[in-house]
Amino acid sequence: MAGERLGHQPVQLMALLQNTPVGATPSLETHYAQCATTQGAFMIALQNYVTKAKEEIKARKELFTKRQQEDEERKKEMEREIEECAVKEVKMIEQVKRERAEVAELEAHVAALEKQQATTRENFVRKDDEIEELKKKIITRRGALSRDREILETHARRAAREAKGLEDALGWSIEGIQMTSSRPLLGTLPTLIEDLNATRELYVFVRRLREAFQMYVEDERRYKGGLA
């Protein structure tokens, strides 16, 4: 194939010897100039290839170095981000601990409030029961007071009638439950009035006043009988 690029057929050594006369020196056309030209072109092409290869290697080396630097920068950036994330994680853990403590405190406070609310509710229920019991007692007491009032009003009406009869018969003057005057004047009247103001028992007062008046009348009769 090299011979084809040089423009001649390859030479066979045996054919050359056979075609050379006996005693003659065989000769071979080498085409050196053409070979030198081809070799020079080859060397130039090889040099260009080597130059381009070196440039390619240099470019690839520069690209590798650049990528390596970029990877190093990304690595450092990732390390910084990891460190920041670690710091944030620690802060978040502390925040979570604080929030858990606050939640636990709030839960305890809520539990205390719920307990207090339950106690208050029980107190309300108990107070409601006491109020209902008091209402029943008040109703019962009102009924008793109403009956007592009726009895007192009955006694008061009877006492008023008796007092009116005494006023008409004896000349007494009674205002409310206080005796302002009597005729004749009884010595025990101040004591009876004092007891009346303390007890407010008008019927008892009238009965005791009647007894005192009767004793006064009997004393007067005995006194007059002794003089006769």
Side-chain angles (χ1 to χ4, degrees):
M1 294 180 67
E4 291 176 358
R5 287 195 299 269
L6 294 175
H8 64 278
Q9 296 295 327
V11 178
Q12 298 293 330
L13 181 59
M14 294 301 297
L16 179 63
L17 293 175
Q18 291 175 0
N19 294 327
T20 301
V22 179
T25 303
S27 63
L28 178 65
E29 183 63 36
T30 60
H31 303 285
Y32 177 76
Q34 187 178 2
C35 182
T37 300
T38 303
Q39 185 178 5
F42 174 76
M43 292 302 295
I44 292 172
L46 180 62
Q47 185 65 34
N48 290 334
Y49 176 79
V50 171
T51 300
K52 290 181 179 180
K54 288 181 178 180
E55 291 176 354
E56 182 69 18
I57 292 172
K58 182 180 179 182
R60 292 186 179 185
K61 182 179 180 181
E62 290 176 353
L63 181 60
F64 175 77
T65 302
K66 183 179 179 181
R67 290 180 177 178
Q68 190 176 18
Q69 290 176 352
E70 292 176 354
D71 291 341
E72 187 67 23
E73 290 178 357
R74 283 196 296 268
K75 180 181 177 182
K76 292 180 180 179
E77 183 66 23
M78 290 178 65
E79 289 177 351
R80 286 194 297 271
E81 291 178 357
I82 291 173
E83 185 176 359
E84 291 177 358
C85 289
V87 174
K88 290 180 180 179
E89 183 180 4
V90 172
K91 291 182 179 180
M92 289 179 65
I93 292 174
E94 293 177 353
Q95 180 67 22
V96 169
K97 289 182 179 179
R98 288 194 298 269
E99 290 178 355
R100 286 180 178 176
E102 291 176 358
V103 170
E105 184 178 357
L106 289 174
E107 289 177 349
H109 184 63
V110 170
L113 289 177
E114 289 178 350
K115 183 177 180 181
Q116 184 178 1
Q117 185 179 10
T119 302
T120 303
R121 189 180 297 109
E122 292 176 357
N123 291 334
F124 282 156
V125 173
R126 186 169 57 253
K127 292 298 182 182
D128 289 338
D129 294 338
E130 292 178 357
I131 290 172
E132 291 299 325
E133 186 66 24
L134 287 174
K135 286 181 179 179
K136 293 178 181 178
K137 290 182 179 180
I138 290 172
I139 292 173
T140 303
R141 183 59 178 168
R142 283 178 178 175
L145 290 176
S146 178
R147 291 190 296 272
D148 292 341
R149 187 181 298 110
E150 292 177 356
I151 295 172
L152 290 175
E153 288 177 355
T154 301
H155 288 313
R157 287 192 295 269
R158 184 173 61 185
R161 289 193 297 270
E162 293 179 354
K164 179 64 175 174
L166 290 175
E167 287 181 353
D168 295 339
L170 303 176
W172 291 354
S173 177
I174 301 176
E175 296 179 359
I177 58 172
Q178 293 182 350
M179 181 177 288
T180 59
S181 64
S182 67
R183 192 177 61 227
L185 182 61
L186 298 175
T188 58
L189 181 62
T191 302
L192 295 176
I193 294 175
E194 184 178 355
D195 293 340
L196 174 62
N197 291 328
T199 61
R200 300 296 181 181
E201 294 291 343
L202 180 60
Y203 182 76
V204 175
F205 170 75
V206 172
R207 179 174 54 81
R208 293 176 63 186
L209 185 62
R210 181 185 298 171
E211 293 175 353
F213 178 73
Q214 290 175 351
M215 289 178 62
Y216 176 83
V217 172
E218 291 176 357
D219 290 340
E220 285 292 325
R221 287 177 179 175
R222 283 195 297 271
Y223 175 75
K224 291 178 179 181
L227 291 178

